[in-house]
Amino acid sequence: MKSLSLIVSCYNSEDYVERCVNSLLLGGEEVEILLVDDGSNDRTPQIIDYYAHKFPGIVRAIHQANGGPGAAINAGLHAATGLYTKIVDSDDWLDATAYQQVLDFLRETNRQGEALDMIVSNYIYDRQGARHKKVMRYPTILPQGQVFGWQDVRFPAGKYLLMHAIIYRTSLLRDEAKLELPRHTFYVDNIYVFEPLPFVKKIYYLNVELYHYFIGRADQSVNEDVMLSRIDQQLKINRRLIIFYAENITDSSPVSQYMEKYVEIITTVSSILLVKGGTPRYLALKRDLWEFVRQYDESLYKQLRRGVFGIGVHLPGKLGRKTAVGAYHIAQRMYGFN
């Protein structure tokens, strides 16, 4: 069995997918690289077929009709044979030194017969043109050098785990969480991170800068203008998180508390985007979102609404909305996200 399956969703990625795959190939025979062509109409299919032909023991090419990043990740998960799985966006890449450290760790963990549920590492906001790159690290939040559980985790407000930081056990995703992402929808990485969390018992943190998260393309899905144009998809994901939380979380355990914070962050992002949009339609969508929370889980609504983020996105009038957006921009500079 391979130690690690790396799933790469590829849609019209001819300009950057080679950088991504070349970084992953440094894992050698210990990894499998699943390149999923999601109905590309440029040279992406030919590029990934070349890699599959050149490295038959490592790279597998999967071709499918366009179904969006969720469908591509689903296809990769169904085909994955590695003990652990990591998702890598086709415009991102892995650091060579940290990659080897992660693989060394997985090899030793496998030798000892230790089955972990989630491995966390650091990632870098690799903003195009920026001289100083923001690195997201967790040494003050997560224990080091030991297996731990949610009771040992202390995330401050505003900080949470993105997909770039996470490696999951493959069988947890497939057999326990039974994860299936929606088709033709962006921002599914939030579901990918969120829905398996109740099944995670054993966590390990490796304090290495593994993942380079490329930021700066005008057409990138996390560009604010692009997100606003796809706000229906952001809201669809947001509502699915709320529904999952309401239907599956019934206690106040540490993992439940973390998941509540995650829902709070995503709902805040949706709200700020709608506040920035500023039109009556966008402001009505924000009201609808919060009403959805209230109707689906009134206890969750009260928790979110009286928190600092809930108060901030409901500041009244134009001045209140301007203040909320300004606070969001300060958070952008602090955390380096787009």
Side-chain angles (χ1 to χ4, degrees), residues 30 97-110:
E30 289 189 82
T97 301
Y99 190 18
Q100 291 306 316
Q101 290 174 300
V102 169
L103 291 175
D104 289 345
F105 171 77
L106 293 180
R107 190 185 311 114
E108 180 60 21
T109 300
N110 296 343

Side-chain angles (χ1 to χ4, degrees), residues 130-142:
R131 294 177 60 186
H132 302 289
K133 313 294 186 182
K134 180 72 175 180
V135 182
M136 299 304 293
R137 300 184 179 95
Y138 306 96
T140 61
I141 300 171
L142 305 177

Side-chain angles (χ1 to χ4, degrees), residues 1-5 29-31 81-85 101-117 119 147 167-171 204:
M1 178 180 287
K2 299 276 189 175
S3 293
L4 182 64
S5 294
E29 296 290 341
E30 289 189 82
V31 306
T81 63
L83 186 58
Y84 296 94
T85 291
Q101 290 174 300
V102 169
L103 291 175
D104 289 345
F105 171 77
L106 293 180
R107 190 185 311 114
E108 180 60 21
T109 300
N110 296 343
R111 188 187 67 80
Q112 294 178 1
E114 179 79 71
L116 300 171
D117 299 321
I119 299 154
V147 179
I167 296 171
Y168 275 127
R169 176 166 49 83
T170 305
S171 59
Y204 199 97

Side-chain angles (χ1 to χ4, degrees), residues 74-262:
N74 290 340
L77 278 177
H78 294 157
T81 63
L83 186 58
Y84 296 94
T85 291
K86 186 166 186 63
I87 309 300
V88 182
D89 287 337
S90 60
D91 55 351
D92 298 336
W93 65 97
L94 301 186
D95 176 83
T97 301
Y99 190 18
Q100 291 306 316
Q101 290 174 300
V102 169
L103 291 175
D104 289 345
F105 171 77
L106 293 180
R107 190 185 311 114
E108 180 60 21
T109 300
N110 296 343
R111 188 187 67 80
Q112 294 178 1
E114 179 79 71
L116 300 171
D117 299 321
M118 182 170 73
I119 299 154
V120 179
S121 59
N122 307 326
Y123 62 94
I124 302 166
Y125 280 108
D126 213 307
R127 182 178 292 276
Q128 188 174 32
R131 294 177 60 186
H132 302 289
K133 313 294 186 182
K134 180 72 175 180
V135 182
M136 299 304 293
R137 300 184 179 95
Y138 306 96
T140 61
I141 300 171
L142 305 177
Q144 298 185 66
Q146 66 184 75
V147 179
F148 59 90
W150 289 107
Q151 70 276 6
D152 305 305
V153 173
R154 296 291 182 270
F155 271 90
K159 197 163 187 178
Y160 63 118
L161 294 171
L162 267 67
M163 181 180 72
H164 319 304
I166 290 178
I167 296 171
Y168 275 127
R169 176 166 49 83
T170 305
S171 59
L172 182 146
L173 294 172
R174 228 170 16 210
D175 304 330
E176 296 167 43
K178 295 180 170 52
L179 186 68
E180 191 77 16
L181 301 177
R183 295 171 55 83
H184 298 296
T185 308
F186 282 88
Y187 316 117
V188 295
D189 52 312
N190 290 308
I191 296 174
Y192 178 86
V193 172
F194 187 76
E195 292 190 1
L197 292 178
F199 303 94
V200 171
K201 310 301 180 188
K202 295 182 178 181
I203 311 170
Y204 199 97
Y205 170 51
L206 285 170
N207 189 9
V208 297
E209 281 75 63
L210 174 63
Y211 195 101
H212 285 259
Y213 177 23
F214 181 72
I215 293 287
R217 289 200 339 267
D219 64 338
Q220 204 162 12
S221 62
V222 293
N223 178 286
E224 284 183 9
D225 291 336
V226 175
M227 288 190 75
L228 196 57
S229 72
R230 295 172 176 163
I231 195 63
D232 59 324
Q233 297 177 50
Q234 169 71 14
L235 294 173
K236 176 181 177 180
I237 298 299
N238 202 152
R239 288 189 173 93
R240 175 157 164 172
L241 299 187
I242 292 163
I243 292 170
F244 184 90
Y245 180 89
E247 294 183 351
N248 294 276
I249 305 302
T250 58
D251 57 26
S252 58
S253 64
V255 66
S256 304
Q257 294 170 28
Y258 173 75
M259 293 177 73
E260 181 184 297
K261 290 181 179 179
Y262 197 104

